[in-house]
Amino acid sequence: MTVTEPNAVPFASPAASSGAPFVTTPVAYDGILLAGFGGPEGQDDVIPFLRNVTRGRGIPDERLEEVAHHYRHFGGVSPINGQNRVLKEALEAELAARAIDLPVYWGNRNWAPYLEEVVTEASAQGHNTLLAFATSAYSSFSSCRQYREDFARILEDTGLGETVTIDKIRPFYDHPGFVEAFETGVREAVEGFLADGIAAADIQILFSTHSIPTADAERSGARDIEWGEGGAYAAQHLAVAAWVMDRVRETVPAAADVSWELVYQSRSGPPSQPWLEPDVCDVIGELSSRGRKAVAVVPVGFMSDHMEVLWDLDTEAAEAAEEAGLAFTRTPTPGVSPSFVAGIVDLIEERLQGRPNEQRAHVTSLPGGFDVCRPGCCENIRAGFKPAAAGVAP
């Protein structure tokens, strides 16, 4: 991986502006930007929120209402904003415990508090060198580049591009603090099924993540790395799932006979557009024919119990398991577990200290995990080129 010319990265700190994949120069950040997806907080918010999510795609309100019932089932309130408020408080406490004097600003892409307002507020407070933590762990357009495009757009639209810089924490899918919850959850699920008299060979583990368009998956991750089918997005999930199962089998020998696979959920595109498969509920429906009696669904693609977990897994997947006559459990997400919160601050310290890549914590051997995204990384060719912060242009 070669270093590009100076100022190759728009809106970046001086340490990141050369385009080197890993920033090994300490940076004196003066604020943390917690960048979330956002969600409605009442029935009147649901359709306006969904319009924000689908902006530019021309989807009529009648079709949006088909998705809105997920939120209306829970009173029109997505749990994601409340979860991010708690996460912000936990991060502030962990930073203080380590004597790291940095404010945490929380803003969303699709609902209040909006990133535009929060970045403007940070600058008004004199905090112009920001390090962003996006609440998505993996490499893809929707989980990484779209946030970076929003950062660039916001700095251009607000006129703050000359004074504010935004760097981004690396994809953290294989950081120990993130994966610990999945390992614990799978181990406890297997032990619970075994205690109920279910044989290990009759247990199925389904690692579930958000489906994305196949074209986006194929372009996920650095373009000069051979990721295989599904690009970096699929490769990263598969590597984490394999690591989790290896660790569980070390402590629960019977788990050697437990089968697992990666599945997808929450598809939202038109039927004519290929998305990653198989669907979690379709697979659950087939498990009885494979001789399975129990299924544990692991939300490996998600940080917290937001709507895609509560509806697609706790509701639809659970119903599919009941119809198939299977014992069912859904394992926990990292949420605000102490290990995950500590892991986020570890990621922050990597950039504060300029820690070399070989000294950074990770559990898989996949390449990547760059501080500065590579040219064309995770580009959405349907939407066309858009400038993006924290990555080499174009």
Side-chain angles (χ1 to χ4, degrees):
M1 195 69 63
T2 58
V3 177
T4 53
E5 70 276 4
N7 302 316
V9 185
F11 311 115
S13 67
S17 63
S18 71
F22 301 103
V23 179
T24 56
T25 301
V27 179
Y29 294 105
D30 51 25
I32 303 300
L33 179 60
L34 176 60
F37 187 81
E41 301 200 70
Q43 295 286 13
D44 292 341
D45 297 343
V46 175
I47 292 300
F49 161 74
L50 292 174
R51 289 179 188 142
N52 286 344
V53 173
T54 61
R55 66 174 70 87
R57 292 162 57 185
I59 299 178
D61 285 359
E62 294 76 16
R63 283 186 57 195
L64 295 180
E65 194 63 49
E66 295 174 9
V67 178
H69 79 276
H70 301 172
Y71 294 94
R72 301 203 187 286
H73 178 82
F74 295 96
V77 179
S78 167
I80 197 167
N81 277 355
Q83 290 162 358
N84 279 331
R85 290 187 182 98
V86 176
L87 178 59
K88 177 178 181 291
E89 293 176 359
L91 285 175
E92 290 168 338
E94 181 69 14
L95 287 165
R98 300 194 197 186
I100 300 174
D101 185 17
L102 286 176
V104 179
Y105 294 94
W106 162 52
N108 294 321
R109 294 188 53 248
N110 299 298
W111 201 249
Y114 290 100
L115 282 166
E116 291 90 335
E117 300 164 358
V118 172
V119 171
T120 301
E121 176 191 353
S123 181
Q125 297 293 325
H127 301 137
N128 294 314
T129 306
L130 304 177
L131 179 62
F133 175 84
T135 53
S136 296
Y138 296 84
S139 298
S140 75
F141 173 72
S142 56
S143 57
C144 186
R145 187 181 179 97
Q146 197 166 22
Y147 284 93
R148 298 195 297 110
E149 290 182 356
D150 279 345
F151 298 156
R153 174 185 56 79
I154 288 164
L155 293 179
E156 289 178 341
D157 290 352
T158 60
L160 293 172
E162 297 298 320
T163 56
V164 174
T165 64
I166 302 179
D167 294 341
K168 181 181 175 293
I169 286 172
R170 65 180 170 97
F172 56 89
Y173 63 93
D174 67 345
H175 191 281
F178 177 67
V179 298
E180 180 181 285
F182 304 122
E183 177 196 353
T184 300
V186 171
R187 184 177 66 252
E188 292 178 349
V190 170
E191 290 175 336
F193 287 143
L194 292 173
D196 289 339
I198 299 172
D202 296 336
I203 299 170
Q204 182 77 34
I205 308 297
L206 298 180
F207 291 90
S208 189
T209 190
H210 207 300
S211 184
I212 60 174
T214 303
D216 287 357
E218 292 172 348
R219 289 170 175 79
S220 59
R223 308 312 313 130
D224 58 351
I225 296 175
E226 293 294 331
W227 297 105
E229 185 177 359
Y233 187 73
Q236 290 168 356
H237 283 86
L238 286 167
V240 170
W243 178 86
V244 167
M245 292 306 300
D246 285 345
R247 288 293 298 269
V248 170
R249 287 163 177 164
E250 289 175 3
T251 56
V252 186
D257 293 328
V258 173
S259 300
W260 69 271
E261 64 184 285
L262 178 66
V263 296
Y264 299 93
Q265 62 176 90
S266 312
R267 177 195 168 115
S268 60
S272 59
Q273 183 183 44
W275 281 53
L276 292 178
E277 296 178 335
D279 177 79
V280 58
C281 289
D282 290 344
V283 172
I284 289 173
E286 300 169 354
L287 290 180
S288 291
S289 64
R290 302 185 200 175
R292 305 292 187 266
K293 297 180 180 178
V295 58
V297 177
V298 186
V300 71
F302 305 99
M303 269 182 47
S304 62
D305 290 5
H306 51 63
M307 192 58 67
E308 281 83 358
V309 175
L310 295 181
W311 181 263
D312 296 1
L313 299 183
D314 291 356
T315 304
E316 292 186 335
E319 290 175 353
E322 183 177 7
E323 291 175 4
L326 300 169
F328 173 88
T329 189
R330 192 269 292 175
T331 69
T333 52
V336 290
S337 66
S339 60
F340 182 46
V341 173
I344 297 173
V345 178
D346 289 343
L347 290 161
I348 292 170
E349 286 192 316
E350 286 181 0
R351 303 299 294 277
L352 291 171
Q353 299 169 359
R355 191 178 302 163
N357 183 49
E358 58 272 16
Q359 297 177 16
R360 299 179 180 187
H362 59 86
V363 301
T364 78
S365 59
L366 287 182
F370 303 121
D371 300 329
V372 178
C373 290
R374 314 324 296 156
C377 179
C378 300
E379 189 173 358
N380 182 336
I381 60 172
R382 301 182 309 280
F385 173 78
K386 295 180 183 178
V392 179

